[in-house]
Amino acid sequence: MKKAGQGFRYRMGLLSVAVVLAVGATIRPETADGFYARDDFSKVGKIDAHIHLSSADTTFIRQAVRDNFSLFTVNVDGKTYLEQRNLALAHVKQYPRRVAFATTFTVSNWNDPDWQQKTIADLRDSFAKGALAVKVWKGIGMELRDKDGSFVMIDDPRFDPVFDFMAKNKIPLISHQGEPKNCWLPVSDMTVGSAKLYFTRNPQHHMYLHPEYPSYEKHMAARDHMIEKHPNLIVIGAHLASLEWSVDEIAKRLDKYPNLAVDMASRIMYLQHQATTDWQKVRDFLIRYQDRILYATDRGNWEGVYDSNEALNRELHDTWVSDWTFLTTDQVMTHRHVVGEFKGVKLPRSVIDKIYRKNAERWIPGVAKLQ
């Protein structure tokens, strides 16, 4: 397979894995690879690279074992961020071959003069205890404010020492900046049903109604600038890097930033939406950037969300099977949040193996320990 920029290599820490920039690559014929079938779902070892274990209950993990998944649980900033870390450590201790975790850091003390030193010290402690990555949340850019009341964006130079520390230690950054572009559109123009439902019920979070907040474009520009400033930092753009509305826009960033990968957490329906009108483009994108995409769902076991453990099990299993069907078969499908039918993209077996496991192992050093 011909690759533009051949010869550029990005060292991936302990695994010493070279991720080759797939710019202008010729789509590889899939006939030699073969394909998985829908019934192969439980036979293949997989990693869900972005989930949230938010309680001590192990129902989620036990369902993952039944469905042959390992889990990468991601902590987020908030009042409970230390509790989340302790929960993650407890789950890792009980299921060391099934669960790994990403820590986070708090910005609740952002305006303290020693914020940088305290943050780096806290990250050192998390890494010593087994954290494999760091998550930064959308609160940076949407909630965090300076002393003068202005919004703090992710490219603020005060973050630089923290990101430099992570780059030096080959610790990946899971970057969640902004929201889906739908958040800045009128409800009538939103592309998927889940966005229409959520922002109708939560107008306080609907940025279209709050022009005083940073624009979608400002969020994307700040995130891109942060990546540009830190070319040696491994960055995983959560939720398709908040560019879920256009595979072309994701491709532009992947072409420009060889240290960037994306996870699919809670955004596969946006690929399905695009597949209703341009199936070939979606499929070609997934094949062309097969080394830069991590399977993930953003599912969690938040207390009070599910009526029973059985309901949680059913939701997880149905989501995982539906995604597998979309990615491995050419079955005609529907989704409750997508208008119209779409066809599965039937990716070659070798591409599926990367998206569901190998890419997580490459981009998150240490994940390979999971079975």
Side-chain angles (χ1 to χ4, degrees), residues 51-57 60-61 71 73-75 84 87-88 91-92 99-100 299-302:
I51 59 95
H52 299 280
L53 295 177
S54 299
S55 79
D57 185 81
F60 193 125
I61 303 171
L71 304 172
T73 184
V74 177
N75 294 173
Q84 292 175 56
L87 275 172
H91 287 307
V92 170
V99 179
R299 295 294 181 183
N301 63 344
W302 297 281

Side-chain angles (χ1 to χ4, degrees), residues 123-167:
L123 290 179
R124 286 186 188 276
D125 182 52
S126 289
F127 303 153
K129 292 176 178 175
L132 301 181
V134 177
K135 167 75 176 286
V136 290
W137 197 48
K138 62 186 179 183
I140 298 170
M142 301 192 79
E143 296 176 1
L144 179 61
R145 295 178 186 254
D146 258 333
K147 291 179 180 178
D148 62 3
S150 61
F151 285 96
V152 177
M153 308 304 287
I154 195 64
D155 62 341
D156 190 293
R158 284 167 289 183
F159 288 114
D160 289 346
V162 176
F163 295 152
D164 289 341
F165 166 75
M166 291 171 57

Side-chain angles (χ1 to χ4, degrees), residues 29-97:
E30 61 268 23
T31 52
D33 286 327
F35 301 91
Y36 286 117
R38 188 176 187 275
D39 292 343
D40 290 322
F41 168 75
S42 62
K43 303 173 187 176
V44 178
K46 305 172 290 293
I47 296 174
D48 190 330
H50 186 147
I51 59 95
H52 299 280
L53 295 177
S54 299
S55 79
D57 185 81
T58 59
T59 300
F60 193 125
I61 303 171
R62 287 181 279 116
Q63 183 62 47
V65 171
R66 285 191 289 271
D67 285 336
N68 210 353
F69 267 101
S70 292
L71 304 172
F72 193 61
T73 184
V74 177
N75 294 173
V76 297
D77 188 18
K79 294 180 180 179
T80 64
Y81 94 101
L82 290 176
E83 294 176 20
Q84 292 175 56
R85 185 174 68 179
N86 290 336
L87 275 172
L89 289 169
H91 287 307
V92 170
K93 183 177 181 180
Q94 187 173 359
Y95 294 92
R97 299 295 304 281

Side-chain angles (χ1 to χ4, degrees), residues 8-12 15-20 362:
F8 181 91
R9 291 186 174 274
Y10 187 81
R11 298 286 295 178
M12 281 279 188
L15 297 181
S16 299
V17 177
V19 178
V20 182
R362 291 172 177 171

